[in-house]
Amino acid sequence: IFLTGGSGGVGTFFIQLARHYGIKNIITTYGSRESYDHLLKIGVKPEQMVNYRQDSLAEEILKKNEGELYDVCIDYVGGRISETAAEVLKIGGTFADITFLGTQTSRTTIFNKSATLQNIAIYANALSNDEDLRARFGRDLDLLSELFQNGSLEPTPIVEVGNFSVEAVQKGHTLLENNAAKGKLVMSFPLSLIHI
């Protein structure tokens, strides 16, 4: 499995979940010393990491998999790195996208490789009137809750950027743009602003 953005909130969660289920052949990207250190902390080995800021990124990613294309690529970032993820995916592989920020180039590459594209939108279950689907989703959430409660998974780090304001939004974007957000970014919404 190759995944982009392993040190972010969803990437951190996925890596923990994959390791819990015995999936060890995971390669991910980092772009700063902080990201690298965070990945080490959650159990990713140096040989499983690639600095996405280097030239010939696809070539370096393939070297980590002994020159082989990947069965599964998961994109947590979007943009140009989604193109790289699509490039290193094998024909007939699976590409999971949680960002909806892929490019036309990445979509074309995925199509041309006859890959399975799995768009992941957690809110989709809420849009369904299918009781079986909702029940299955509820069981999945119960399982995840149990894994957190018994210590098999640890909560994703949370970075509070301040109360909901233009400044807090700018700070959050700056953290994201500088690859300095480890975990999930949270802005508080003061209850005094809610009018019922």
Side-chain angles (χ1 to χ4, degrees):
I1 298 174
F2 170 68
L3 64 118
T4 65
S7 67
V10 181
T12 295
F13 175 74
F14 173 80
I15 289 169
Q16 289 187 76
L17 194 60
R19 290 173 59 83
H20 174 77
Y21 285 107
I23 299 169
K24 296 178 180 152
N25 190 11
I26 298 172
I27 305 299
T28 189
T29 56
Y30 72 94
S32 68
R33 183 65 200 196
E34 293 81 13
S35 292
Y36 181 87
D37 291 342
H38 175 73
L39 289 167
L40 286 175
K41 182 179 174 192
I42 63 170
V44 180
K45 298 174 183 166
E47 59 269 20
Q48 294 177 282
M49 295 184 242
V50 178
N51 187 334
Y52 72 81
R53 297 182 189 273
Q54 65 184 294
D55 294 331
S56 63
L57 178 59
E59 184 179 314
E60 291 302 314
I61 293 167
L62 290 172
K63 280 183 188 176
K64 297 287 185 177
N65 198 33
E66 299 177 356
E68 297 292 323
L69 294 169
Y70 287 78
D71 296 317
V72 177
C73 292
I74 305 171
D75 182 27
Y76 295 125
V77 178
R80 291 195 62 202
I81 200 159
S82 70
E83 297 174 7
T84 303
E87 183 180 343
V88 302
L89 180 66
K90 75 176 187 179
I91 292 173
T94 299
F95 191 98
D97 180 5
I98 69 155
T99 68
F100 200 58
L101 297 172
T103 67
Q104 183 59 47
T105 298
S106 65
R107 288 187 289 275
T108 299
T109 302
I110 292 164
F111 180 84
N112 288 341
K113 289 188 172 189
S114 193
T116 300
L117 174 61
Q118 178 68 49
N119 292 303
I120 300 172
I122 194 71
Y123 58 82
N125 294 298
L127 301 176
S128 173
N129 290 325
D130 184 334
E131 293 300 322
D132 290 335
L133 178 65
R134 287 184 178 204
R136 188 169 60 241
F137 183 61
R139 287 190 300 273
D140 290 345
L141 292 177
D142 288 341
L143 173 61
L144 290 174
S145 176
E146 183 180 316
L147 292 174
F148 280 111
Q149 289 176 16
N150 72 23
S152 297
L153 300 177
E154 292 189 22
T156 301
I158 295 174
V159 177
E160 191 167 340
V161 293
N163 285 334
F164 186 73
S165 64
V166 171
E167 294 79 18
V169 171
Q170 289 172 333
K171 180 179 178 183
H173 276 280
T174 299
L175 288 169
L176 291 171
E177 290 165 5
N178 293 323
N179 194 30
K182 305 300 159 266
K184 300 306 289 177
L185 298 178
V186 174
M187 282 180 273
S188 302
F189 195 76
L191 291 177
S192 62
L193 295 178
I194 299 175
H195 302 285
I196 299 178

